[in-house]
Amino acid sequence: MTLNRISEEGGYAYVSMEALAAGGDFRAAEATREMAWEQLHSGPWHSVLPVWRDAYSMACLHVAIYHYRNRDFREALRVLDMGLIMGGLLLRQDLNSAVERVSVKCSGVGQGVMTDGKRGSGSERNSNEEEVRSQVLPNKSLSCKMVEKRSSLSLEGFLCDYFLSGSPVIISNSMSHWPASNKWKDMDYLKRVAGGRTVPVEFLDRIQSNQCNNSGTTYLAQHPLFDQIQELREDIVVPDYCFSGGGELRSLNAWFGPAGTVTPLHHDPHHNILAQVVGKKYIRLYSASVTDDLYPHSESMLHNSSQIDLDNFNEKEFPKAQDLDFVDCILEEGEMLYIPPKWWHYVKSLTPSFSVSFWWSALDND
C-alpha cells in the first residue's frame, strides 16, 4: 500500500530501489533511506506527505537488518531510533519489535549495567543543595506571590478550583506510585535502558557531572522520548487531571538536563501539567491577560515567545514589563505544576533535573 502511494506521488525510482532493498541489497537500502530523508526535508515538517514518513521507516528497517546480520548492533539500533523519531506510524510496531531484538544483542556491548541500585550519597545530596543556592535567579524572584500548593488534590477539587478558573497550582503527594520516582534517581538504570539509544551515555554522564560550560549545555527538551523508549514510558503514569475538560492528551514530553538549563519566557496553547520527577526547578508565571506587556515576537513562528530575557532584563527596552505581577515557585521533586493555556512561563533547573510534561486539550479550546 505504501509503495503504491509513493508511486502515485512520483517516487518511481524510490519504488525500484525499495524492491532491491527488500532483496537484501544494502546499497539500495541506503539509497532508499537517503531519498526518503530528502523528502522529509523538502519543506516545512507539516507539509511533508505522511507516506514519505512511512517510507523512511521502511527503509530504516531494511538498513537495520543489514547491520544486524553483520553484527553491528549499535548501528542497527541507531538506525531504528531514527526510524522511530522521523518515521510515520504505519511501521512503528515493527520498529519497536526490532528495537527489542537488537537491544538484547547490545546489552553486553559496552553498555552501562544495573549495579546494586544505591542512591546518591549524603555528600551528593549536600552538593545538590549547594547547586540550588548557587543558582542566579531573575530579579525579584520569590519576592511576590507564590503559586498555591495543594496536597493530594482531588480531581473534583482540581476541576472546580483551578481548571475552570484557569489558575496555576502545585500538586504534591500525587506521584509516589510512579516507578520513575525511584528508578530515575539511579543513573545506572537510565544508562542501561537508554544508554545505547539516541539519548547516549555521554548525555547522561554530562547530566551526572553537571558539565555546564561554554561549549554548550546538554538538554533534552520537549522530546517525545516515551514514544521511543517503552521502558521509560512504563515508569510514568498519566495524571487523572489530564482528562479534565473532556479533551484528549496531545503530547507527552521529556525534559532531561543539568542544573542551569533555562526555558525562556513563552506560552503554550494547551493545558499543561509539568511533573518534577527528579531534582528542582524555579518557575515564574505571568497571566495571559498581560500578554501585550510581555513583548511577544511579531513573527508568526515565535508569537508565543517573549523578547524579554529575564536573566538579563533591560528595563529601558521593555518598560511595560518592569512592574508586572507574577507568581513563582520552586517545584520540588515529586510535585506537579498545572500551567493553564496561554500562561507565560520561564523555567530554570536548579539541580540535575528530570521532568515530564503532559499537554492536553479540552473541549473549550479545541
Side-chain angles (χ1 to χ4, degrees):
M1 179 68 72
T2 298
L3 292 179
N4 288 339
R5 291 183 58 196
I6 292 173
S7 181
E8 292 172 1
E9 297 296 334
Y12 303 111
Y14 183 94
V15 173
S16 298
M17 284 189 289
E18 177 63 33
L20 293 173
D25 188 321
F26 173 69
R27 289 177 297 178
E30 276 287 15
T32 55
R33 187 169 66 132
E34 290 177 7
M35 287 184 65
W37 179 265
E38 290 177 1
Q39 290 294 326
L40 295 183
H41 293 80
S42 61
W45 182 252
H46 62 81
S47 68
V48 175
L49 293 172
V51 66
W52 285 110
R53 299 177 194 174
D54 293 330
Y56 183 73
S57 297
M58 188 182 300
C60 285
L61 280 170
H62 289 316
V63 173
I65 289 172
Y66 171 85
H67 289 299
Y68 182 87
R69 288 172 176 169
N70 285 275
R71 305 188 64 79
D72 190 351
F73 304 125
R74 285 179 177 274
E75 183 62 16
L77 190 58
R78 187 191 71 80
V79 171
L80 291 170
D81 273 330
M82 290 302 299
L84 286 168
I85 294 170
M86 301 294 291
L89 298 177
L90 183 64
L91 298 175
R92 182 163 292 272
Q93 184 56 52
D94 297 270
L95 289 167
N96 282 328
S97 297
V99 164
E100 288 184 20
R101 185 173 179 180
V102 175
S103 294
V104 171
K105 296 292 186 179
C106 285
S107 60
V109 185
Q111 297 292 316
V113 295
M114 181 68 82
T115 59
D116 59 3
K118 292 181 181 179
R119 303 295 181 249
S121 66
S123 61
E124 289 173 337
R125 288 193 292 271
N126 291 337
S127 176
N128 282 344
E129 293 302 319
E130 289 296 330
E131 290 168 7
V132 172
R133 286 194 287 271
S134 68
Q135 294 297 323
V136 178
L137 298 178
N139 189 33
K140 300 182 181 179
S141 293
L142 306 176
S143 64
C144 299
K145 185 178 180 181
M146 303 288 288
V147 179
E148 186 177 356
K149 184 180 294 189
R150 297 282 298 273
S151 176
S152 304
L153 181 62
S154 68
L155 184 57
E156 181 181 4
F158 171 74
L159 183 65
C160 296
D161 297 340
Y162 304 99
F163 181 85
L164 294 178
S165 63
S167 303
V169 63
I170 294 173
I171 305 168
S172 60
N173 298 318
S174 293
M175 292 169 52
S176 59
H177 61 293
W178 289 20
S181 297
N182 290 316
K183 288 184 175 181
W184 291 8
K185 295 175 184 177
D186 186 349
M187 192 61 64
D188 288 326
Y189 167 75
L190 293 175
K191 287 180 180 179
R192 180 176 66 82
V193 171
R197 307 296 296 275
T198 55
V199 182
V201 171
E202 186 266 345
F203 162 79
L204 294 172
D205 285 342
R206 287 187 64 184
I207 291 177
Q208 190 173 28
S209 62
N210 193 32
Q211 293 181 15
C212 299
N213 51 42
N214 293 331
S215 64
T217 300
T218 303
Y219 192 27
L220 181 69
Q222 196 168 327
H223 175 62
L225 184 70
F226 309 107
D227 289 341
Q228 187 181 346
I229 304 180
Q230 292 297 310
E231 294 94 329
L232 294 180
R233 176 63 181 86
E234 293 169 0
D235 289 341
I236 62 175
V237 180
V238 179
D240 289 342
Y241 310 113
C242 297
F243 300 101
S244 300
E248 60 181 8
L249 196 67
R250 293 291 188 180
S251 65
L252 194 167
N253 290 311
W255 306 77
F256 287 6
T261 53
V262 169
T263 301
L265 191 62
H266 71 289
H267 69 78
D268 300 311
H270 301 300
H271 297 273
N272 180 10
I273 279 187
L274 179 65
Q276 190 64 26
V277 184
V278 177
K280 302 180 181 183
K281 284 183 172 178
Y282 169 79
I283 304 172
R284 178 181 293 192
L285 302 106
Y286 293 88
S287 169
S289 63
V290 299
T291 291
D292 291 340
D293 295 333
L294 289 175
Y295 300 87
H297 285 277
S298 58
E299 298 91 338
S300 59
M301 292 291 291
L302 297 172
H303 71 280
N304 69 323
S305 299
S306 172
Q307 300 178 56
I308 300 169
D309 179 359
L310 288 179
D311 292 300
N312 298 283
F313 182 65
N314 188 322
E315 298 178 0
K316 294 182 178 179
E317 188 175 2
F318 307 111
K320 292 189 294 183
Q322 183 175 352
D323 297 316
L324 287 179
D325 290 334
F326 62 83
V327 294
D328 63 356
C329 66
I330 291 180
L331 192 64
E332 303 280 352
E333 188 171 288
E335 295 180 339
M336 303 176 182
L337 172 65
Y338 169 58
I339 305 175
K342 303 297 180 66
W343 272 66
W344 294 81
H345 47 287
Y346 160 98
V347 184
K348 185 170 188 176
S349 298
L350 303 180
T351 67
S353 173
F354 297 174
S355 312
V356 182
S357 62
F358 301 86
W359 280 10
W360 81 97
S361 63
L363 296 181
D364 62 349
N365 68 328
D366 270 350

